[in-house]
Amino acid sequence: QTTVTADGYIVSVDGSIVANHPPDHKGETTATGSPTVTIGKMPINRAGDLDSCGHKRLATVATKITVGD
């Protein structure tokens, strides 16, 4: 998804690509987003949600959410 942003950053949804990180996690994706808050029927990711590698998602508090252009 590319239409919803939080403080200018695209909001991640399940299936978004995760940056490569130690120990050797490459090609991981976000995986366990909100069951009730979605964008285009895709769960949004929150702080503490697990990625496909099992690591917890980090996030910050957004002050401005923008939908569309």
Side-chain angles (χ1 to χ4, degrees), residues 1-3 5 9 11 14 19 27 33 39 44 50 52-53 60 67:
Q1 79 81 27
T2 59
T3 59
T5 61
Y9 294 96
V11 174
D14 280 0
I39 299 171
I44 65 159
L50 298 178
S52 60
C53 62
T60 59
V67 178

Side-chain angles (χ1 to χ4, degrees), residues 18 21 25 28-32 48-57:
V18 174
H21 57 280
H25 295 172
E28 304 294 341
T29 60
T30 56
T32 60
D49 287 342
L50 298 178
D51 292 335
S52 60
C53 62
H55 285 142
K56 287 185 180 180
R57 176 113 310 262

Side-chain angles (χ1 to χ4, degrees), residues 3-47:
T3 59
V4 180
T5 61
D7 291 339
Y9 294 96
I10 294 173
V11 174
S12 69
V13 295
D14 280 0
S16 296
I17 296 171
V18 174
N20 295 342
H21 57 280
D24 190 27
H25 295 172
K26 298 176 183 168
E28 304 294 341
T29 60
T30 56
T32 60
S34 172
T36 57
V37 181
T38 62
I39 299 171
K41 299 184 181 180
M42 296 177 288
I44 65 159
N45 300 122
R46 308 155 294 181

